[in-house]
Amino acid sequence: FKTLKLQAGLVQNPFADIPAMELDTQSREAFTRDELKAICAKATGDWRYLVGIGIYTGLRLTDALHLKWEDITDVIRVVPAKVRRRKKGNGKVVEIMIHPVLNALLSELRRVRGGSLTGHLFPALVKEYARDRTAASVAFGKLLRDECGISTTAEIEEGSQRKRRANVRGFHSLRHSFVSMCAEGGVPLTTIKDIVGHSTATMTAYYAHAKDDEKRQAINLLPSGFFDPVG
């Protein structure tokens, strides 16, 4: 329906608000540190700041691009869209301490936007998302392939006789990278779980193939050298 909407002259997609069923899909792969540096060097405009948010918070793309200035104080507080959609976790707020590099990026974005602001950090992307929920993912994939030379697909085996191409690199890979870097820094799984909003430590362990001071320490353990100096 989404694909044929314009061609068929449909006013509304009757399936738009029906949540998709959970599928066993191919896991996204984490980026290497060199790949993260390349992405940070090539990302411009809103993507410069979205990539920074992805690296230093582990937020999913939907939650990152819908962030509001009101969500950001000395920490970032957000109820993940995934939780709101499924009405699980009693609307639990995820609190993420702000890494110094991300703090500098957010300060830079405030200056770009013209000072102290309210509303969405990325209003243009929010409007685009309302028109087409895949647009941001497609744009990030194009950035990876065309600007950074990073392949976004891989051949996956399905049984002994069958293979298929699958998407293995995308914005969600920044979330995997965040969890992996935390794990490499020796951050306990329970702390990582609390930061990224996983319901179980088992889910956090899958991504990685509390107290506020522990979370702040975890965030500060993340490397700082991905972006050129910001301020």
Side-chain angles (χ1 to χ4, degrees):
F1 267 78
K2 182 163 55 178
T3 302
L4 297 175
K5 181 178 178 181
L6 293 177
Q7 184 178 345
L10 299 175
V11 176
Q12 184 177 359
N13 178 357
F15 304 107
D17 296 324
I18 299 175
M21 293 177 63
E22 287 269 355
L23 296 176
D24 291 328
T25 55
Q26 172 66 24
S27 170
R28 290 293 191 270
E29 296 178 357
F31 294 114
T32 67
R33 298 199 181 197
D34 285 343
E35 287 172 337
L36 289 173
K37 288 180 181 179
I39 295 167
C40 293
K42 295 294 184 179
T44 59
D46 285 352
W47 283 108
R48 170 176 170 80
Y49 308 104
L50 269 172
V51 167
I53 291 168
I55 291 174
Y56 290 108
T57 70
L59 284 174
R60 298 176 181 88
L61 177 57
T62 298
D63 296 321
L65 70 84
H66 282 93
L67 275 176
K68 296 181 178 181
W69 290 109
E70 300 94 301
D71 300 328
I72 303 170
T73 54
D74 56 332
V75 299
I76 295 173
R77 294 182 177 87
V78 59
V79 178
K82 191 173 182 180
V83 172
R84 295 198 305 271
R85 259 195 323 268
R86 298 177 184 177
K87 298 180 180 179
K88 289 184 178 180
N90 300 316
K92 180 182 178 183
V93 175
V94 173
E95 282 194 359
I96 307 170
M97 306 302 173
I98 301 176
H99 189 278
V101 171
L102 180 56
N103 191 50
L105 286 168
L106 292 173
S107 296
E108 181 182 287
L109 180 58
R110 284 190 182 92
R111 291 195 297 275
V112 170
R113 295 286 192 253
S116 177
L117 300 171
T118 59
H120 289 104
L121 276 67
F122 310 108
L125 288 176
V126 170
K127 288 182 180 178
E128 188 175 32
Y129 182 90
R131 292 192 299 268
D132 180 1
R133 294 188 178 188
T134 66
S137 294
V138 171
F140 187 68
K142 184 175 175 61
L143 168 67
L144 294 179
R145 292 188 302 272
D146 297 353
E147 300 296 327
C148 305
I150 297 173
S151 176
T152 58
T153 63
E155 198 169 65
I156 306 299
E157 290 189 7
E158 287 189 335
S160 58
Q161 302 293 326
R162 190 175 173 185
K163 295 182 179 180
R164 67 180 176 89
R165 300 288 308 175
N167 291 321
V168 295
R169 298 290 186 85
F171 193 89
H172 206 78
S173 297
L174 296 176
R175 184 171 170 86
H176 284 257
S177 299
F178 172 84
V179 173
S180 294
M181 287 188 293
C182 285
E184 288 167 9
V187 178
L189 284 181
T190 52
T191 302
I192 302 174
K193 175 181 91 67
D194 205 32
I195 294 171
V196 297
H198 288 159
S199 57
T200 65
T202 302
M203 177 60 77
T204 302
Y206 165 78
Y207 269 68
H209 337 279
K211 297 176 181 176
D212 283 355
D213 58 343
E214 291 173 338
K215 290 190 285 185
R216 188 173 300 282
Q217 182 181 17
I219 293 298
N220 288 337
L221 284 171
L222 294 171
S224 301
F226 296 126
F227 288 90
D228 289 336
V230 294

